[in-house]
Amino acid sequence: MRPILRSLSVIAVLLAALPVCAQGQLPDFSVKELTKGKIQISWNNPYRNCVQLAIQRSLDSSKNFRTIFSSQSPELASNGYLDNRPIPGVKNYYRIFYAMENGTYFFTRAIPVETQQPAKSVLTVPPAYETVKETSIKDLNPAKVASKDLTSIYLKKTLLFQLDKKAYQHFKDSINTRTKDALRRLNEKTVEWIPAKKELYFIYQYQQLLAELDAKAYRKFKDSIRYRTKDTLYIADAYHIQLKPYIEPAKKLVFVYRNDSLLQILEPEQYRLFRDSVSTQTKDTLYAIDNEHVKIHPFVPKYVWKPSDYVFTNNKGYVTIVLPLAKQHKYQVIFYEEDGSELFRINTVKEPELVLDKTDFIHSGWFYFKLFEDDKLKEKNKFFLPK
């Protein structure tokens, strides 16, 4: 007898009248009926980075919510809205949707309000447990029930009680809002009450349901997301969780140019190594055009001409060849025009000092030479022959 009495106690609590006005936790909002058919929703918003604030209404506390108002100034500290079109005679559930600048969002808890007091329930409970136990779904006479326009509520094939239309609506709302139980309609006038077996958490990714997890599995899932991934879980309400996958930020690339040609495309770490190598191992210069484009200017050394110690023009303007070791080595000198064409050559220089006539060079100006010592290039240089 105790299980049935315990069930009847639960039903008595579920059928108790609900307050028409409630105040939610932060962020605060309240719902109350001003006059018949006019519901006022007022809220306090502590979020200055709120970019969207919407009022949603449903006949169910956990689903089928639809937006009935979207605030033009969601950042205001307090505001309100008057709903002129609530559904009469039933509970209307209201909640507020918040969206922030960083993309996060959440819903407040749902607050119910009725536009009018429900009619008194017609509740018929068998006087004793034995009578209830003997009344089963098989023993139900649908025609007799239909004549009274009552809905029969069964729990595990046992008739608990019969309710008229308004009382059944009140009972159904209580089941949907205060429990996780389910109601299954067997026929037009018969409903089976199915108690919830376990607490379930619903995991969504965008609008797609990914998983339904019990409390233990959800704790493991939450820990694995926290410690093994960079994904984020956003709690829409107590049992609905939104999974937001981590998106790797786009890598910044550095484009290196030389003149107008693209030389390399480097990731930041590679660019730092490249920059250090240019700075420490070359005389080239890097110029930053912006944060992503760099231009490299190769080092161009300034040429400083140094007269040769072996082939040069003396103070009288004559070409002089000085080779102190001419007796110990074989020396050869080849003379060239500025365009690289060969002018003449001396295959063997036998004297330590030799002065050449200007007429050998035909004209004044720059001349080039190559000096070989024992058939190996000893020097490559130039000299200037004045007029």
Side-chain angles (χ1 to χ4, degrees):
M1 184 172 181
R2 288 183 179 178
I4 297 301
L5 292 177
R6 196 159 43 239
S7 299
L8 295 178
S9 299
V10 172
I11 297 304
V13 172
L14 293 176
L15 293 177
L18 299 178
V20 298
C21 176
Q23 184 69 35
Q25 298 177 351
L26 287 177
D28 287 338
F29 85 104
S30 62
V31 181
K32 65 180 179 179
E33 184 179 12
L34 296 181
T35 60
K36 184 176 180 181
K38 294 184 184 296
I39 307 297
Q40 182 183 28
I41 302 97
S42 304
W43 63 88
N44 295 322
N45 175 22
Y47 306 109
R48 295 299 173 267
N49 62 338
C50 180
V51 295
Q52 184 179 357
L53 186 149
I55 307 299
Q56 297 183 339
R57 183 182 66 201
S58 174
L59 297 181
D60 189 307
S61 65
S62 60
K63 55 186 177 180
N64 299 323
F65 277 92
R66 293 189 178 183
T67 298
I68 59 173
F69 171 74
S70 184
S71 176
Q72 298 294 322
S73 302
E75 73 284 355
L76 292 180
S78 61
N79 209 335
Y81 169 71
L82 185 64
D83 182 13
N84 293 316
R85 296 183 179 180
I87 307 300
V90 297
K91 276 192 180 67
N92 290 265
Y93 292 88
Y94 295 89
R95 70 181 184 185
I96 300 181
F97 167 77
Y98 287 86
M100 306 302 173
E101 288 179 351
N102 59 6
T104 60
Y105 64 91
F106 63 89
F107 300 90
T108 63
R109 69 183 183 91
I111 294 181
V113 62
E114 284 184 297
T115 56
Q116 59 184 9
Q117 292 295 328
K120 294 183 179 180
S121 301
V122 178
L123 178 60
T124 303
V125 180
Y129 169 73
E130 289 76 19
T131 308
V132 173
K133 187 174 181 181
E134 292 174 358
T135 307
S136 65
I137 295 178
K138 295 180 180 179
D139 301 327
L140 181 66
N141 187 340
K144 185 183 293 185
V145 174
S147 63
K148 297 181 180 180
D149 195 21
L150 300 177
T151 299
S152 300
I153 310 300
Y154 280 80
L155 177 64
K156 295 183 179 179
K157 299 184 179 181
T158 299
L159 177 64
L160 295 181
F161 40 77
Q162 296 172 316
L163 304 174
D164 65 12
K165 185 176 180 180
K166 288 187 177 181
Y168 171 69
Q169 183 64 45
H170 187 79
F171 166 75
K172 184 175 70 171
D173 290 343
S174 299
I175 289 291
N176 291 335
T177 58
R178 294 197 169 191
T179 75
K180 295 184 177 63
D181 300 348
L183 296 176
R184 183 165 66 94
R185 184 169 288 279
L186 302 178
N187 56 49
E188 187 179 356
K189 298 297 179 182
T190 309
V191 174
E192 183 180 7
W193 182 10
I194 305 174
K197 293 182 179 180
K198 57 183 178 180
E199 195 174 57
L200 290 179
Y201 293 82
F202 300 89
I203 312 300
Y204 293 86
Q205 183 173 338
Y206 304 112
Q207 302 298 324
Q208 183 179 0
L209 178 63
L210 296 182
E212 297 180 13
L213 306 176
D214 59 23
K216 184 177 180 180
Y218 173 64
R219 283 195 297 271
K220 291 182 178 180
F221 170 77
K222 183 172 62 174
D223 291 342
S224 67
I225 291 294
R226 179 179 179 182
Y227 296 111
R228 297 186 180 182
T229 75
K230 294 182 179 180
D231 299 343
T232 308
L233 294 178
Y234 292 94
I235 298 176
D237 56 40
Y239 298 98
H240 296 80
I241 294 90
Q242 186 75 224
L243 172 64
K244 186 176 181 181
Y246 173 76
I247 300 176
E248 190 77 29
K251 292 183 178 180
K252 292 183 179 180
L253 299 177
V254 180
F255 300 83
V256 182
Y257 293 86
R258 181 160 57 195
N259 298 328
D260 293 330
S261 301
L262 179 62
L263 186 63
Q264 294 187 68
I265 301 177
L266 304 174
E267 293 182 1
E269 185 63 31
Q270 295 175 323
Y271 172 68
R272 282 192 288 270
L273 296 175
F274 171 77
R275 182 189 59 193
D276 293 342
S277 65
V278 169
S279 174
T280 58
Q281 299 180 21
T282 74
K283 295 183 179 181
D284 298 344
T285 308
L286 292 175
Y287 291 92
I289 301 173
D290 53 37
N291 291 335
E292 298 178 353
H293 298 83
V294 176
K295 202 167 187 179
I296 183 169
H297 288 193
F299 173 73
V300 179
K302 291 183 179 180
Y303 177 75
V304 179
W305 174 69
K306 181 181 178 181
S308 171
D309 293 330
Y310 304 106
V311 182
F312 54 88
T313 54
N314 60 19
N315 54 2
K316 294 182 180 181
Y318 290 94
V319 178
T320 304
I321 302 174
V322 177
L323 299 168
L325 301 178
K327 300 295 184 181
Q328 286 82 17
H329 298 280
K330 177 185 176 183
Y331 290 97
Q332 181 187 34
V333 183
I334 304 175
F335 295 93
Y336 299 90
E337 294 277 7
E338 277 192 282
D339 61 2
S341 60
E342 184 177 331
L343 185 61
F344 67 92
R345 66 177 60 193
I346 301 175
N347 290 324
T348 304
V349 180
K350 297 180 180 181
E351 300 297 329
E353 184 173 347
L354 178 64
V355 178
L356 303 180
D357 196 291
K358 291 183 179 181
T359 58
D360 294 335
F361 294 92
I362 305 174
H363 60 83
S364 62
W366 287 99
F367 294 89
Y368 292 82
F369 70 88
K370 290 180 181 179
L371 173 63
F372 293 89
E373 181 183 75
D374 298 330
D375 297 327
K376 294 182 180 179
L377 182 64
K378 182 178 180 63
E379 185 184 23
K380 182 180 179 181
N381 207 335
K382 66 179 180 177
F383 58 86
F384 183 78
L385 186 65
K387 290 184 180 181

